[in-house]
Amino acid sequence: MSYVELHCHSNYSFQEGASSVDELLAQAAELEYPALALTDHDNLCGAMHFAQVARSLDVQPITGAEVTLKDGSHLTLLAETRKGYSNLCNLLSYSHIASDRRNPRLDLSYLPELAEGLILLTGCRKGPLSSLLAAPSPSSKKQREAQETLEQYLEWFGAQNVFVELQQNLVQGDTQRNRRLTQLACKLDVGVVATNNVHYHVPERHCLQDALVAIHHNQSL
């Protein structure tokens, strides 16, 4: 089976993504990806252009977003149906209306009523699940909270529409975290997916990405 990237940021992830939609899709086509997801932070600004270019390259577009929750953690949402796309638009609108426009934050209370047609991935290392299991030796309380969190997602989205997201970016703690996430997924019989949290289409672009993140945090390199 071919690999499909389900967690990918373009330069519409402002001050973070270092490649354009066109560059990401051209690379996906070069790598013979059958599909690609666009999951920019808290917006769908590139979704229309992404879908148009993807179809011209015979790559199936998957529309999604990485949403920021009120506590600053992240969840990855993918639209499976038209209803899911509509619900994703509503969730993003609520996150912007209820927050500072520069820092949209989504209240979890909206998820149960707007889960239809959406697939939930449990997020990057800043995801609620990953954060609970990130410590070298997470306490039994943290492990219980992680299980309760995953069970809540299953109740809201359904067992077929929730996947535990694993990322191995050679960052300290990735291997231990992935092992614990996999154990929890097996315990609750939840599927797992591998993603890369892509922010640029070629390795050389990492210098630009570093500069963008420094600007975002008002720090020097």
Side-chain angles (χ1 to χ4, degrees):
M1 294 179 66
S2 299
Y3 177 76
V4 171
E5 183 56 67
L6 297 176
H7 192 137
C8 183
H9 298 276
S10 74
N11 52 11
Y12 286 108
S13 287
F14 303 110
Q15 294 182 332
E16 191 163 332
S19 293
S20 68
V21 166
D22 301 73
E23 290 171 326
L24 291 165
L25 281 166
Q27 184 73 341
E30 177 71 20
L31 296 171
E32 299 183 348
Y33 283 14
L36 180 69
L38 185 67
T39 56
D40 281 314
H41 280 295
D42 303 302
N43 75 75
L44 294 170
C45 295
M48 184 64 72
H49 181 58
F50 172 71
Q52 292 170 342
V53 176
R55 292 192 179 99
S56 74
L57 295 173
D58 200 26
V59 176
Q60 179 188 345
I62 301 171
T63 301
E66 185 174 20
V67 298
T68 306
L69 305 180
K70 288 184 73 174
D71 63 0
S73 61
H74 298 165
L75 286 177
T76 312
L77 297 175
L78 306 175
E80 184 180 24
T81 63
R82 288 179 180 270
K83 179 65 173 178
Y85 178 80
S86 174
N87 283 337
L88 182 57
C89 289
N90 284 326
L91 288 169
L92 293 172
S93 294
Y94 289 141
S95 70
H96 282 267
I97 290 170
S99 314
D100 179 316
R101 71 180 182 87
R102 287 178 173 270
N103 296 290
R105 294 289 186 269
L106 179 66
D107 190 325
L108 273 175
S109 63
Y110 289 113
L111 281 179
E113 61 181 291
L114 295 171
E116 182 183 349
L118 288 172
I119 292 172
L120 179 142
L121 311 185
T122 56
C124 60
R125 69 176 61 89
K126 292 184 178 179
L129 215 59
S130 296
S131 299
L132 287 166
L133 299 175
S137 298
S139 65
S140 56
K141 179 182 178 181
K142 293 285 187 182
Q143 294 181 54
R144 282 197 306 273
E145 287 180 18
Q147 180 171 332
E148 290 167 359
T149 298
L150 185 53
E151 288 171 341
Q152 188 73 83
Y153 297 156
L154 294 170
E155 180 181 336
W156 292 342
F157 289 83
Q160 302 304 312
N161 282 12
V162 174
F163 294 87
V164 172
E165 189 171 357
L166 308 178
Q167 295 181 352
Q168 174 56 270
N169 292 314
L170 304 181
V171 175
Q172 185 176 10
D174 279 356
T175 300
Q176 286 185 331
R177 184 184 67 251
N178 287 336
R179 185 176 294 118
R180 295 190 186 105
L181 286 169
T182 302
Q183 290 170 347
L184 178 58
C186 290
K187 183 177 182 179
L188 297 183
D189 196 23
V190 178
V192 299
V193 294
T195 71
N196 281 298
N197 201 11
V198 171
H199 285 77
Y200 40 84
H201 71 294
V202 290
E204 295 76 20
R205 197 60 68 86
H206 80 89
C207 294
L208 174 58
Q209 207 258 341
D210 284 348
L212 290 170
V213 173
I215 291 169
H216 177 74
H217 293 287
N218 195 27
Q219 295 179 346
S220 60
L221 290 170

